[in-house]
Amino acid sequence: MQRQSTIIWARLLALTFIVGVLASLPGPPAAYAQQADNLLVNPGFEPFVTPEGQYDYPLYRTDEGGGHIAEGWSPWWYNDEGAAYAAPEYDIAPISRDPFRVHSGNAAQQIFRPSVLWAAGVYQRVRVPANADLRFTIYGHAWATFCKPLDGGGSDCGDSHDSTYGLGVNPPTMKVGIDPTGGTFWASPNIVWSQDYRIYDHYEQLLVDARAQGEYVTVFTYTTFMWPAAVNNVYWDDAALVANNGGTTGTPTGLTLEANTTVNVRTGPGLTHAIIGQIRPGTLYGVRGQSGGWNMIDFNGRGGYVYGPLTTITSRAQ
């Protein structure tokens, strides 16, 4: 009996030790951590750790260009044969180099190339619930400046957190998109693009909504600049793709709207997006959100956008 008790206690001690070891082991790499409802891989653009203990991204290189790109993401860029646009450089923006460039976590994706004009971004193809309404969000900002010429040559770009330093800002165009068909060509007419954003020196969230046309979609970021200035940098961090297969993407606001006249309903917030129907005076529609001057409404079981000045917001129940 005493021998059996000794064996039982020994087994319990061994089991306790194993559980303790497992509990102390590190979790999955940050590069693969994500919110439970986030459909993206590595949405935080997290790096791997080198043997030297440094943060880094995998190297992607072609004859045209490339650089260091976060796991789970792929690069795209516009390569103009007339040489008006050139391929940019891709790099990690680690928190150890400049915490200002990281929205959260240990790193952000940087795209840049001084003194040339470029149009580029990253994309990710994602499996989603079939025909789901989707919202893609990401935080981004640009550092874009002409710097200050110095006597005797060279330039002074000053505070790297201030695009207005020197000769002033080089205006960027930033936007995000969803290809509801799952294509990977950045210039596809299928892509539903957000409004254009112009974000300097601090992170803001960009967003776009679309409905999947099947089980795969592709999300895109896009940046270009007005001029080939000395500093043309953009930073991306903390993306999310969330599906709401039971109805319209977005959070009910408790508001409704009514058309002042016949108003087109579009797939996205802008005149370039496809028309999916029309609304007319006399019917109230639930408001799910706003993007620029456009309101997102419940329309025939999906999300649709209408131009705000052509409608009247009300809190009346439908």
Side-chain angles (χ1 to χ4, degrees):
M1 182 70 177
Q2 183 176 0
R3 184 171 180 273
Q4 289 179 339
S5 298
T6 302
I7 293 173
I8 292 172
W9 276 109
R11 288 176 176 173
L12 287 173
L13 287 172
L15 179 60
T16 302
F17 174 77
I18 292 172
V19 171
V21 169
L22 291 175
S24 66
L25 290 176
Y32 299 104
Q34 63 186 66
Q35 303 171 7
D37 58 351
N38 194 343
L39 299 171
L40 297 172
V41 173
N42 191 13
F45 295 86
E46 288 300 292
F48 65 84
V49 181
T50 68
E52 297 75 26
Q54 302 296 315
Y55 295 131
D56 204 356
Y57 287 162
L59 180 63
Y60 178 95
R61 181 65 66 186
T62 71
D63 292 338
E64 295 178 351
H68 293 269
I69 299 162
E71 292 179 84
W73 297 86
S74 300
W76 71 265
W77 60 81
Y78 175 46
N79 189 22
D80 183 12
E81 296 180 357
Y85 286 81
E89 300 178 57
Y90 291 77
D91 201 5
I92 182 175
I95 195 169
S96 57
R97 187 171 70 203
D98 187 354
F100 187 84
R101 299 302 181 198
V102 179
H103 185 258
S104 73
N106 296 313
Q109 180 71 66
Q110 178 183 3
I111 310 174
F112 71 103
R113 186 174 174 182
S115 302
V116 301
L117 194 60
W118 57 264
V122 293
Y123 69 88
Q124 186 175 142
R125 189 169 187 261
V126 189
R127 187 168 185 172
V128 300
N131 305 317
D133 286 313
L134 302 163
R135 169 163 290 184
F136 174 47
T137 61
I138 190 170
Y139 287 87
H141 75 275
W143 173 37
T145 181
F146 288 96
C147 302
K148 181 190 297 182
L150 297 176
D151 295 338
S155 61
D156 175 15
C157 295
D159 182 357
S160 62
H161 305 157
D162 184 5
S163 295
T164 64
Y165 185 86
L167 299 181
V169 167
N170 181 29
T173 298
M174 302 168 61
K175 60 184 178 180
V176 293
I178 300 174
D179 185 334
T181 68
T184 57
F185 179 43
W186 69 272
S188 169
N190 295 322
I191 298 176
V192 177
W193 289 105
S194 70
Q195 67 183 69
D196 290 345
Y197 292 80
R198 188 167 290 176
I199 305 170
Y200 306 104
D201 304 323
H202 68 280
Y203 274 107
E204 292 183 17
Q205 191 180 62
L206 299 81
L207 69 87
V208 65
D209 297 307
R211 168 170 277 193
Q213 297 178 21
E215 295 185 348
Y216 286 90
V217 303
T218 307
V219 297
F220 292 84
T221 72
Y222 175 103
T223 309
T224 193
F225 298 86
M226 188 172 291
W227 306 103
V231 178
N232 285 341
N233 292 17
V234 71
Y235 304 86
W236 298 107
D237 202 2
D238 289 338
L241 180 67
V242 179
N244 179 0
N245 207 33
T248 305
T249 303
T251 303
T253 63
L255 301 177
T256 58
L257 65 73
E258 182 178 353
N260 299 333
T261 183
T262 300
V263 180
N264 290 329
V265 182
R266 297 179 181 270
T267 57
L271 296 176
T272 60
H273 296 289
I275 296 172
I276 57 175
Q278 293 181 326
I279 62 174
R280 295 174 175 81
T283 302
L284 299 180
Y285 295 87
V287 177
R288 290 274 175 159
Q290 187 179 50
S291 181
W294 295 74
N295 293 308
M296 184 184 185
I297 64 171
D298 294 325
F299 183 73
N300 293 338
R302 62 177 295 184
Y305 284 86
V306 293
Y307 187 48
L310 300 180
T311 65
T312 298
I313 295 288
T314 174
S315 59
R316 288 176 291 169
Q318 295 190 59

